């Protein structure tokens, strides 16, 4: 109100009414940008503040989660809302895309490549794996490739660890299977002395083998004449050979007398 007064006390007044309003929303400070992170690297929500031209605004934060197509993927939506005393408000959001791109990691001691006899091939161990986002499943695949004989081969074992999002890691073991053990004869005939009309027949020997179920036995017989017709020496040799060329031999000497 403005009042004009003269020296004799006469006065007149004029009034002005100012309508004060607040139509400007607050401003948020510190709202982070949208990001994509691994499931074990989700940042904590920051402290967001707000300023206003007329009053002290109040900031409220909310967070929602939307699950993805596997346990290692989801979306986080963080929303900050600032409201001043006049009811003006502002809202900003941050979208966090959580991804799982990390493969599982095998735990414990892993089997290495080795060479083994055909009857001493170790059983495959049960491997385990850990993952940063979910449980990991381990599967074993074994492939055997035949070698150049029955007792030789190459075994390739592949363990694959897979998480729920399809990320996978593998461990491979190669086993070179060999056969260096000779067959075993069924008997070892003893040397004998026999009359010329009672020479024993050569024994029918067989042989067994750890790798080859069909071992051949070959008999060779050499007769060496003595000092007269009724005397001689018969040398018999049985040779068992498996498919990989390992050999076992037994021999018998028959001394023929008259």
């Amino acid at each position: 109100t403005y009042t004009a007064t003269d020296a004799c006390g006469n006065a007149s007044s004029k009034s002005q009414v100012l309508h004060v309003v607040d139509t400007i929303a607050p401003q948020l400070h510190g709202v982070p940008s949208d990001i994509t992170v691994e499931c074990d690297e989700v940042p904590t929500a920051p402290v967001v503040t707000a300023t206003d031209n007329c009053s002290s605004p109040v900031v409220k934060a909310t967070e929602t989660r939307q699950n993805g197509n596997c346990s290692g993927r989801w979306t986080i939506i963080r929303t900050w809302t600032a409201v001043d005393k006049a009811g003006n408000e502002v809202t900003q959001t941050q979208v966090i895309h959580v991804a799982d791109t990390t493969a599982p990691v095998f735990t414990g001691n892993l089997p290495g490549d080795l060479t083994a006899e055909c009857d001493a091939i170790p059983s495959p161990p049960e491997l385990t794996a850990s993952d940063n986002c979910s449980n990991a499943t381990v599967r074993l695949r074994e492939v055997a490739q035949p070698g150049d004989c029955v007792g030789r081969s190459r075994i390739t074992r592949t363990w694959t660890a897979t998480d729920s999002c399809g990320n996978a890691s593998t461990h491979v073991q190669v086993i070179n299977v060999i056969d260096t053990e000779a067959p075993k004869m069924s008997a070892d005939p003893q040397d004998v002395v026999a009359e010329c009309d009672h020479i024993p027949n050569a024994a029918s020997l067989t042989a067994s083998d750890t790798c080859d179920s069909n071992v051949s036995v070959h008999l060779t017989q050499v007769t060496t004449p003595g000092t007269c017709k009724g005397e001689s020496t018969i040398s018999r040799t049985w040779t068992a050979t498996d498919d990989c060329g390992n050999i076992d031999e037994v021999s018998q000497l028959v001394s023929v007398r008259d």
Side-chain angles (χ1 to χ4, degrees):
T1 300
Y2 304 89
T3 302
T5 306
D6 60 18
C8 292
N10 301 302
S12 61
S13 297
K14 290 290 185 180
S15 295
Q16 177 192 34
V17 177
L18 301 178
H19 298 280
V20 180
V21 296
D22 182 4
T23 60
I24 298 176
Q27 290 185 338
L28 288 167
H29 306 285
V31 177
S33 302
D34 297 346
I35 54 172
T36 298
V37 296
E38 286 285 324
C39 60
D40 56 350
E41 297 177 350
V42 178
T44 57
V47 176
V48 174
T49 60
T51 57
D52 187 68
N53 61 331
C54 295
S55 60
S56 297
V58 176
V59 179
K60 294 182 179 180
T62 60
E63 180 175 300
T64 59
R65 170 172 169 157
Q66 298 174 349
N67 292 327
N69 57 358
C70 63
S71 60
R73 294 183 189 143
W74 67 89
T75 301
I76 298 173
I77 301 174
R78 291 173 174 169
T79 302
W80 290 269
T81 301
V83 183
D84 63 17
K85 291 183 178 180
N88 302 300
E89 69 176 44
V90 62
T91 298
Q92 291 184 22
T93 60
Q94 178 197 32
V95 179
I96 302 175
H97 300 283
V98 181
D100 180 8
T101 61
T102 303
V105 177
F106 285 100
T107 57
N109 296 324
L110 301 181
D113 297 344
L114 55 87
T115 298
E117 287 285 332
C118 60
D119 60 343
I121 301 171
S123 300
E126 184 175 346
L127 301 187
T128 58
S130 61
D131 188 68
N132 61 333
C133 296
S134 62
N135 293 327
T137 302
V138 179
R139 288 184 172 85
L140 169 64
R141 182 173 180 264
E142 183 172 291
V143 177
Q145 297 175 321
D148 56 358
C149 63
V150 171
R152 293 183 191 143
S153 62
R154 179 185 176 93
I155 298 174
T156 302
R157 292 171 175 170
T158 303
W159 289 267
T160 302
T162 308
D163 64 18
S164 66
C165 291
N167 302 300
S169 58
T170 59
H171 175 72
V172 178
Q173 178 193 40
V174 177
I175 302 175
N176 292 309
V177 181
I178 59 174
D179 179 12
T180 61
E181 295 183 7
K184 302 298 181 183
M185 285 290 190
S186 58
D188 186 5
Q190 299 299 307
D191 296 345
V192 295
V193 177
E195 285 290 321
C196 60
D197 58 346
H198 287 87
I199 300 172
N201 293 325
S204 179
L205 300 185
T206 60
S208 60
D209 189 70
T210 55
C211 300
D212 185 2
S213 60
N214 187 24
V215 179
S216 61
V217 178
H218 179 67
L219 170 64
T220 58
Q221 185 169 279
V222 178
T223 301
T224 303
T227 58
C228 63
K229 276 190 174 182
E231 291 183 357
S232 62
T233 301
I234 303 173
S235 177
R236 294 169 175 167
T237 302
W238 290 264
T239 303
T241 307
D242 65 19
D243 192 57
C244 291
N246 301 300
I247 296 174
D248 184 28
E249 288 185 344
V250 295
S251 60
Q252 179 189 46
L253 194 65
V254 181
S255 299
V256 181
R257 297 286 183 267
D258 182 6

